[in-house]
Amino acid sequence: MKKIIGVYRNQNMHWVGDGFPVKNLFSYDRLGQAISPFLLLDYAAPYHFSPTTQQHGVGSHPHRGFETVTLAYKGEVTHKDSAGGGGTIKTGDVQWMTAGAGLVHEEFHSPEFAKSGGLFEMVQLWVNLPAADKMTAPKYQAIAAQDIPVIELEDDAGYIRVIAGRYIADHAEQVGPATTHSPVNVWDGELKAEHVHHLHVPVDHTVLVVVLAGEMQLNGAQHVQDSSIVMFAKDGEAEIQLEALQDSKFLVLTGQPLNEPIQGYGPFVMNSKDEIIQAFNDFNSGKFGEIPVTA
């Protein structure tokens, strides 16, 4: 089995805008190349919002050089961007936004969710773009829950969804609907208490298991609580054992490391300081465009 090289837990919550109460579970400014091609993951654990007529979320802000992936577990988010992308993701849906050369976007609770209120639970993942693709045209993928393949585990133990990449089990392969710029797997799922499941992952990938909720034991020895990430060695092994001590919700992220310099500042992630300065100049001169105003 793959060797575990680190377990990190964060229970401290902070607000992103006024609509996203999140725990940052990993970030490139702390872990750098060890998590490449992934950059950051924020988990908005279940949080109850009261009904309101006000708009809650994050207003217009820019990005360049990477992709944001938003997984909606509870609640709804409406997105709009300067490249013409937009839509509302609901429970079970995924939004995959390629910022590429640069765009401006906003994310708010949908009017319907704001009006009714209720539990809100989301994950936002940042995936780095290879240097050759950092200035690619922006793109927006709205992935509906019904378009995500679901693998039902034996003995009614739970399930795994294949959002991006390929999942191979029992000689059968499922391919996720998201298109990516480098080899990446994004799987999420649930495992019921007292059940065990074995995962096979690419041997040359960075591998992270994110335990969002519940309590698990990995590889028969490592106890992992909620709001934690587990990092694995690139040791040529391909198997991970998941065991749920309580009903658990998790994410599995694997990706081929980019092995390129990472230079980030705020909403921009590039390969050099000069490119960051250029991103600010381009944004300030209006090259990222504007979000269309709708009546």
Side-chain angles (χ1 to χ4, degrees):
M1 286 188 282
K2 289 192 87 64
K3 182 182 177 184
I4 293 169
I5 57 172
V7 180
Y8 305 92
R9 188 183 194 207
N10 183 20
Q11 293 180 287
N12 298 317
M13 187 269 277
H14 69 275
W15 285 89
V16 175
D18 65 0
F20 302 95
V22 304
K23 303 171 186 176
N24 177 253
L25 300 192
F26 66 75
S27 175
Y28 71 94
D29 59 0
R30 295 194 306 274
L31 296 171
Q33 297 287 353
I35 56 170
S36 177
F38 306 108
L39 293 169
L40 173 151
L41 186 139
D42 280 342
Y43 175 42
Y47 187 94
H48 188 273
F49 284 90
S50 299
T52 182
T53 55
Q54 294 182 317
Q55 214 174 30
H56 286 299
V58 184
S60 176
H61 60 283
H63 288 301
R64 173 180 278 182
F66 62 98
E67 302 181 289
T68 67
V69 183
T70 306
L71 288 68
Y73 290 112
K74 293 183 177 72
E76 299 181 0
V77 168
T78 297
H79 163 97
K80 276 198 276 186
D81 67 50
S82 58
T88 297
I89 55 169
K90 303 180 179 184
T91 298
D93 296 346
V94 175
Q95 165 194 297
W96 198 296
M97 185 191 80
T98 305
L103 51 62
V104 177
H105 79 142
E106 62 181 32
E107 299 164 291
F108 290 105
H109 296 179
S110 74
E112 293 77 11
F113 177 76
K115 185 178 177 181
S116 64
L119 278 179
F120 185 89
E121 182 185 6
M122 302 263 164
V123 162
Q124 186 165 93
L125 169 71
W126 290 12
V127 181
N128 206 0
L129 286 170
D133 295 324
K134 281 194 175 290
M135 296 298 284
T136 193
K139 180 180 175 182
Y140 181 82
Q141 300 177 68
I143 302 168
Q146 63 263 28
D147 296 328
I148 300 172
V150 179
I151 294 133
E152 300 290 347
L153 305 182
E154 288 182 3
D155 301 322
D156 194 31
Y159 65 86
I160 289 176
R161 300 194 309 164
V162 186
I163 296 164
R166 298 172 183 273
Y167 182 92
I168 301 170
D170 301 325
H171 307 293
E173 181 178 84
Q174 291 282 6
V175 179
T179 60
T180 66
H181 286 263
S182 65
V184 166
N185 291 305
V186 177
W187 311 327
D188 71 354
E190 295 188 2
L191 189 62
K192 293 180 182 175
E194 299 181 5
H195 284 274
V196 175
H197 182 67
H198 292 262
L199 287 172
H200 292 274
V201 295
V203 295
D204 60 341
H205 278 205
T206 296
V207 178
L208 305 171
V209 171
V210 185
V211 178
L212 299 172
E215 201 172 320
M216 303 186 85
Q217 184 163 277
L218 270 58
N219 291 356
Q222 180 65 57
H223 181 245
V224 186
Q225 295 173 287
D226 62 276
S227 302
S228 296
I229 68 154
V230 183
M231 294 174 62
F232 293 84
K234 298 179 185 72
D235 55 8
E237 296 293 328
E239 186 173 290
I240 295 168
Q241 179 182 292
L242 305 178
E243 179 183 355
L245 305 178
Q246 303 173 358
D247 289 355
S248 297
K249 179 185 297 187
F250 63 90
L251 261 169
V252 179
L253 308 172
T254 91
Q256 203 162 63
L258 299 181
N259 297 321
E260 296 170 347
I262 302 170
Q263 185 75 44
Y265 192 95
F268 308 133
V269 182
M270 303 299 289
N271 300 111
S272 71
K273 196 170 182 178
D274 285 347
E275 289 173 331
I276 294 292
I277 293 168
Q278 187 63 53
F280 274 99
N281 289 340
D282 289 349
F283 170 63
N284 289 330
S285 62
K287 291 184 180 177
F288 284 27
E290 294 180 354
I291 297 170
V293 177
T294 51

